[in-house]
Amino acid sequence: MEVWRLQVNTGEDSIAEYCIENNVAAMGWSLKELSESERKNIKNIKTFEDYCKYADKVYKSYASVKRLKEQVKENDIIWMHSRKEGKYYFGRVKKESKWIFNSEAAEKRDAGNQLTNIDWYEASTRADEESVPGAIATAFIKGSTLQRINKDGVKEYSQLLYNKIHDPEKEQFTYEKPNLCLDKHFYMLLSPSDVEDLLALWLYAEKGYVCIPSTNKIATAKYECVLVDPDKKIKKRKHIYIQVKKGKVDLKASDYVNLAKDGNEVYLLTTEGIVEDADKYKNITAVNPDKIYKFATAPEYNGVNEVIPKNIIPEHVLYWIEFLSEIENSNKADNN
């Protein structure tokens, strides 16, 4: 069983609503590049071999179409994002699902290549990036029109959500209960911005450092934002820079030496990668992701000034902690 993401937003157009209304997963490569006389014949396309004969004439590559036809299998789950609504949808590939070339959709919507019999479900009624795990949201940033989501825990989450939301009158199928646990899948469910927030909040709890929100700029790729130390005893205000990477991304402490001058500090966090040579530099610290995990999941946290209450943790992060905790507790109960 695989999890896929389908990019349905191209240019100013989106075919998400078309897919939902027609119970299909659809994409382009609709042979519009053929001559007018050749396009008259696309109504006669019945097999994938028929389609390929035309596609080979006008496309150097149509790998996503081939994946849709040849690699997407029964019980796979497909995700898509409606730009118009801002919502995420997912659907299961059924036994009856099959590839077709829809000549009418090819002409009107550039959605000729279709996988049929897909019932789409809203992942959440909320229209924002926080309504799905970070690993799913970030999968839509770039890549092929149709590609796998191979991040740890995405398969289990998708199966669980399907079991919870799908209409049993339409689909009697259910997946086996997935085995998710808080400590293993915590970072999988978070977005990169969630992890950035947690590091900034941890520095507030640990050292009293305060974030300056306006310093979070796209142009400052070297760091996420700037924090300051409000300690009145310090004669010269120092700046604290943080850099966060989610996933198996390595960081080099040597790249941040210039930021760590004049008493300034740098904190580097990668959730699955390594920070190289941080111990060589006095004011550069590699933050262990386990510390951030314990900070986020502890009922209370003994910080530099006082016990930090749980409500300092962003609501969205608390939601995923509760989500994973419920699954973990349910699985434990089943095994007893």
Side-chain angles (χ1 to χ4, degrees), residues 221-224 241-245 251 256 267-269:
K222 207 73 172 176
Y223 56 88
E224 308 298 348
Y241 302 91
I242 65 173
Q243 176 60 281
V244 174
K245 295 297 180 183
L251 292 169
Y256 300 87
Y267 290 83
L268 305 176
L269 169 64

Side-chain angles (χ1 to χ4, degrees), residues 76-133:
D76 285 1
I77 287 179
I78 303 174
W79 284 85
M80 72 173 178
H81 179 244
S82 169
R83 182 169 56 199
K84 180 179 179 181
E85 297 179 291
K87 292 182 179 180
Y88 289 86
Y89 290 83
F90 69 99
R92 180 180 69 92
V93 180
K94 301 184 220 175
K95 185 177 181 179
E96 301 81 17
S97 300
K98 63 178 182 178
W99 172 89
I100 64 168
F101 185 78
N102 186 320
S103 58
E104 182 179 355
E107 288 290 333
K108 294 181 178 180
R109 298 300 304 269
D110 191 21
N113 285 281
Q114 301 183 359
L115 193 64
T116 64
N117 292 297
I118 305 293
D119 293 316
W120 294 102
Y121 299 99
E122 286 186 4
S124 170
T125 56
R126 294 159 55 189
D128 55 42
E129 297 300 317
E130 296 182 346
S131 63
V132 298

Side-chain angles (χ1 to χ4, degrees), residues 73 123 143 157 202 278 283 301:
K73 304 296 183 183
Y157 171 80
W202 176 77
N283 291 336
Y301 191 83

Side-chain angles (χ1 to χ4, degrees), residues 31 33-35 38 41 51-60 62:
L31 305 177
E33 295 81 359
L34 292 171
S35 66
E38 287 178 310
N41 296 322
Y51 170 80
C52 290
K53 289 177 183 177
Y54 290 105
D56 287 338
K57 293 181 179 181
V58 291
Y59 304 125
K60 291 182 179 180
Y62 48 100

Side-chain angles (χ1 to χ4, degrees), residues 30-285:
S30 298
L31 305 177
K32 288 189 173 185
E33 295 81 359
L34 292 171
S35 66
E36 186 175 348
S37 60
E38 287 178 310
R39 285 204 306 273
K40 293 179 181 178
N41 296 322
I42 66 173
K43 293 182 180 180
N44 299 321
I45 293 176
K46 302 298 181 185
T47 68
F48 192 61
E49 289 71 24
D50 293 339
Y51 170 80
C52 290
K53 289 177 183 177
Y54 290 105
D56 287 338
K57 293 181 179 181
V58 291
Y59 304 125
K60 291 182 179 180
S61 173
Y62 48 100
S64 288
V65 179
K66 291 180 179 179
R67 280 192 285 272
L68 184 70
K69 171 63 175 67
E70 299 170 351
Q71 298 181 32
V72 178
K73 304 296 183 183
E74 181 182 353
N75 295 332
D76 285 1
I77 287 179
I78 303 174
W79 284 85
M80 72 173 178
H81 179 244
S82 169
R83 182 169 56 199
K84 180 179 179 181
E85 297 179 291
K87 292 182 179 180
Y88 289 86
Y89 290 83
F90 69 99
R92 180 180 69 92
V93 180
K94 301 184 220 175
K95 185 177 181 179
E96 301 81 17
S97 300
K98 63 178 182 178
W99 172 89
I100 64 168
F101 185 78
N102 186 320
S103 58
E104 182 179 355
E107 288 290 333
K108 294 181 178 180
R109 298 300 304 269
D110 191 21
N113 285 281
Q114 301 183 359
L115 193 64
T116 64
N117 292 297
I118 305 293
D119 293 316
W120 294 102
Y121 299 99
E122 286 186 4
S124 170
T125 56
R126 294 159 55 189
D128 55 42
E129 297 300 317
E130 296 182 346
S131 63
V132 298
I136 292 176
T138 55
F140 285 86
I141 295 175
K142 59 182 179 180
S144 304
T145 298
L146 179 70
Q147 64 183 34
R148 290 179 179 86
I149 306 178
N150 290 321
K151 297 292 185 179
D152 185 37
V154 169
K155 182 185 296 185
E156 292 86 349
Y157 171 80
S158 300
Q159 291 173 334
L160 182 73
L161 189 63
Y162 171 86
N163 288 349
K164 181 179 179 181
I165 292 180
H166 84 281
D167 184 349
E169 293 185 2
K170 289 183 179 180
E171 305 180 74
Q172 296 182 357
F173 175 87
T174 56
Y175 294 98
E176 290 186 12
K177 197 171 184 179
N179 186 23
L180 291 175
C181 56
L182 181 58
D183 60 347
K184 183 179 179 181
H185 297 104
F186 173 71
Y187 283 112
M188 181 278 295
L189 293 175
L190 302 187
S191 68
S193 59
D194 289 331
V195 186
E196 294 166 17
D197 289 345
L198 285 176
L199 178 57
L201 289 168
W202 176 77
L203 285 169
Y204 166 71
E206 277 285 298
K207 298 179 178 294
Y209 295 163
V210 179
C211 178
I212 305 175
S214 63
T215 60
N216 190 340
K217 307 287 187 181
I218 295 176
T220 58
K222 207 73 172 176
Y223 56 88
E224 308 298 348
C225 62
V226 179
L227 295 85
V228 295
D229 188 346
D231 190 344
K232 295 180 180 179
K233 297 178 182 179
I234 299 176
K235 294 181 179 180
K236 183 180 179 182
R237 174 179 286 185
K238 64 180 176 182
H239 286 176
I240 298 92
Y241 302 91
I242 65 173
Q243 176 60 281
V244 174
K245 295 297 180 183
K246 185 173 178 289
K248 296 179 181 179
V249 182
D250 296 338
L251 292 169
K252 293 182 179 180
S254 57
D255 292 339
Y256 300 87
V257 173
N258 288 337
L259 292 178
K261 292 180 177 180
D262 301 323
N264 295 330
E265 298 177 12
V266 176
Y267 290 83
L268 305 176
L269 169 64
T270 172
T271 60
E272 297 178 60
I274 60 172
V275 179
E276 299 177 12
D277 299 329
D279 55 344
K280 292 182 179 180
Y281 304 97
K282 181 180 179 181
N283 291 336
I284 299 179
T285 301

